[in-house]
Amino acid sequence: MVNSAQEVLVEEKAVGQIPIRNLWFLLVYAWDLGAFAKAFAATVEASPDLPHLVVALFTGIVERRLRRNLSRHYVPRAEVLTRVRGRIDVFRTTIDRTLERGEIACRFEELSIDTPRNRFVRHALTQASTLKVDRALAARSRSLASHLAFAGVTGHRMTERDLRRESFARHDAEDRLMIELARLVVVLALPTQETGSRLLPSPHRDDVALRKIFERAVGRFYAHHLRSSDGWSVRPGEWLDWPQQAATPGLAALLPRMQTDIVIERSGRRLVIDTKFTGILTSNARGTDRLRSNYLYQLYAYLRSQADRGGAHAQADGLLLHPALNLHLDEAVTIQGHRIRFSTLDLMAPTAVIEARLLQLANDLAAPEPGTIA
């Protein structure tokens, strides 16, 4: 049940109140920073807020990569040369009449530092220098961006589609970490709303970044702690299909898709977790606290749309998990055979308490409902 009315939910104005140790806890799980925890301990302790922490971690990992040399990959090139290299571009050679000048158009691959991932890192470093961090950290970001430019990394901004084409091998662990932190820097630095027909309020950048961090951290926390050897199955981002009959030809392109945040299964029981980085309660016209109805409808659709599949889906449980500041709420109800739970995770609590709370929520999956006999 809810404690006093003076307690604060996580809202835009309250994001800055989250202790830096807990932001670090979320980042460790969200981006698998455990291997770098000791190296970054001083950085964490010295960081007053989220932008400073993220930029300090990002510039720190970039400096580590520069000391060990940035990754190089073969990139496609097309040039007009005086000798054949790679394959001859017959079309360009003919159209441009390069042979008359004693030259030939060629296509070849060249080992280069100017790779998509390094371009994105340079772009993110430039963006990092625009964030509200201290002057020394901003100057550090600009210096590293200039260093990459001097080394031959172009300033062309890469898109998410370009980055999705990148594949990371086992020896690329630090590169993967660097790119993920670069993504987070860009989220903090750039406006989040897209151009449209209406002007909408821009979400607070810290809030947008924390939403991504929170969702990812919870999923990876469970993937790390709930082992398959103990009978657990953890699947983040599971896509669900609507049970359809007699659908018209054009419906497939219009029907919204469903994707869960996290699905946990054990011993024939299924728990669908939906994380929301907003206050779990809202007020109606009379000022009375109510659960947010749209989130309930969304989770209900995840559960009921799959019930006909039988097995663990038939009576799957649901959990709406919201972060909060100094607030504890834990309520549940069974609707049409599905146990739905509404819970908060107090980000002001010690990290050990946060870990224990997350594990308790998962372990309760096998617990009997109130009023039943185990």
Side-chain angles (χ1 to χ4, degrees):
M1 59 182 296
V2 184
N3 294 338
S4 70
Q6 297 180 345
E7 291 159 328
V8 184
L9 296 174
V10 171
E11 296 172 349
E12 178 177 318
K13 63 183 180 181
V15 164
Q17 300 176 24
I18 301 173
I20 200 70
R21 66 179 183 276
N22 289 349
L23 293 176
W24 173 239
F25 167 81
L26 294 175
L27 281 168
V28 164
Y29 281 105
W31 275 276
D32 195 20
L33 290 169
F36 305 93
K38 291 183 179 179
F40 289 141
T43 299
V44 175
E45 292 299 324
S47 297
D49 53 28
L50 178 65
H52 194 289
L53 175 60
V54 171
V55 175
L57 291 174
F58 177 50
T59 54
I61 196 67
V62 172
E63 288 172 344
R64 287 167 63 104
R65 295 300 297 128
L66 286 172
R67 286 195 296 269
R68 302 179 184 182
N69 295 322
L70 287 174
S71 299
R72 297 170 182 264
H73 296 286
Y74 284 98
V75 295
R77 296 282 299 276
E79 290 187 14
V80 177
L81 306 172
T82 57
R83 60 183 178 85
V84 175
R85 183 178 179 183
R87 294 184 299 176
I88 298 175
D89 188 338
V90 178
F91 180 78
R92 185 176 175 188
T93 298
T94 304
I95 295 298
D96 295 344
R97 304 173 68 176
T98 60
L99 288 176
E100 297 179 8
R101 304 191 301 271
E103 298 175 328
I104 190 165
C106 301
R107 293 183 179 275
F108 56 93
E109 289 189 336
E110 184 177 60
L111 190 63
S112 172
I113 198 174
D114 190 24
T115 63
R117 66 178 68 167
N118 290 339
R119 293 175 192 172
F120 187 70
V121 168
R122 180 186 165 186
H123 167 66
L125 285 167
T126 302
Q127 293 297 313
S129 66
T130 67
L131 290 172
K132 292 182 179 179
V133 296
D134 62 53
R135 292 183 179 180
L137 193 53
R140 183 178 169 191
S141 301
R142 286 191 294 269
S143 175
L144 287 170
S146 298
H147 187 101
L148 292 185
F150 182 78
V153 179
T154 60
H156 176 62
R157 178 182 170 186
M158 306 307 296
T159 65
E160 282 291 326
R161 180 178 296 179
D162 296 326
L163 287 172
R164 280 196 291 269
R165 297 172 184 162
E166 290 289 297
S167 59
F168 295 89
R170 289 184 178 180
H171 63 275
D172 286 338
E174 289 200 10
D175 265 13
R176 181 193 293 273
L177 173 63
M178 183 172 62
I179 292 300
E180 295 296 351
L181 287 172
R183 279 191 171 112
L184 189 53
V185 166
V186 171
V187 168
L188 280 168
L190 297 179
T192 56
Q193 70 273 23
E194 298 180 356
T195 302
S197 59
R198 294 184 299 166
L199 294 177
L200 300 176
S202 176
H204 194 278
R205 291 172 184 173
D206 285 8
D207 183 50
V208 173
L210 276 169
R211 184 182 307 131
K212 294 178 180 292
I213 293 170
F214 182 72
E215 293 175 0
R216 185 165 176 161
V218 173
R220 293 202 171 187
F221 175 89
Y222 284 132
H224 177 76
H225 287 279
L226 306 182
R227 305 298 178 88
S228 58
S229 57
D230 295 326
W232 292 96
S233 169
V234 180
R235 295 190 300 278
E238 182 180 67
W239 288 99
L240 304 178
D241 295 323
W242 291 96
Q244 301 179 41
Q245 293 180 347
T248 55
L251 181 67
L254 302 174
L255 195 64
R257 300 191 68 188
M258 295 185 291
Q259 185 181 26
T260 62
D261 288 341
I262 308 154
V263 174
I264 297 174
E265 291 188 1
R266 188 186 191 192
S267 304
R269 298 290 303 277
R270 176 181 171 91
L271 176 64
V272 178
I273 303 176
D274 207 32
T275 58
K276 302 293 184 183
F277 200 83
T278 59
I280 195 169
L281 301 176
T282 188
S283 298
N284 61 16
R286 295 188 296 274
T288 305
D289 286 339
R290 290 286 186 271
L291 293 166
R292 295 179 182 268
S293 58
N294 53 329
Y295 296 155
L296 173 57
Y297 301 155
Q298 181 181 5
L299 184 57
Y300 177 78
Y302 291 165
L303 300 174
R304 288 303 299 162
S305 66
Q306 308 302 301
D308 288 346
R309 296 176 58 180
H313 296 80
Q315 291 184 310
D317 295 341
L319 170 63
L320 278 171
L321 183 61
H322 294 244
L325 303 182
N326 295 321
L327 170 70
H328 176 73
L329 185 146
D330 193 8
E331 304 290 350
V333 64
T334 299
I335 301 176
Q336 292 182 297
H338 300 281
R339 190 69 176 170
I340 301 178
R341 189 170 182 176
F342 311 88
S343 298
T344 56
L345 189 68
D346 186 3
L347 294 185
M348 295 293 286
T351 53
V353 174
I354 295 175
E355 283 190 321
R357 174 67 172 156
L358 286 170
L359 289 174
Q360 176 200 352
L361 290 170
N363 286 317
D364 286 349
L365 176 62
E369 297 179 13
T372 63
I373 300 175

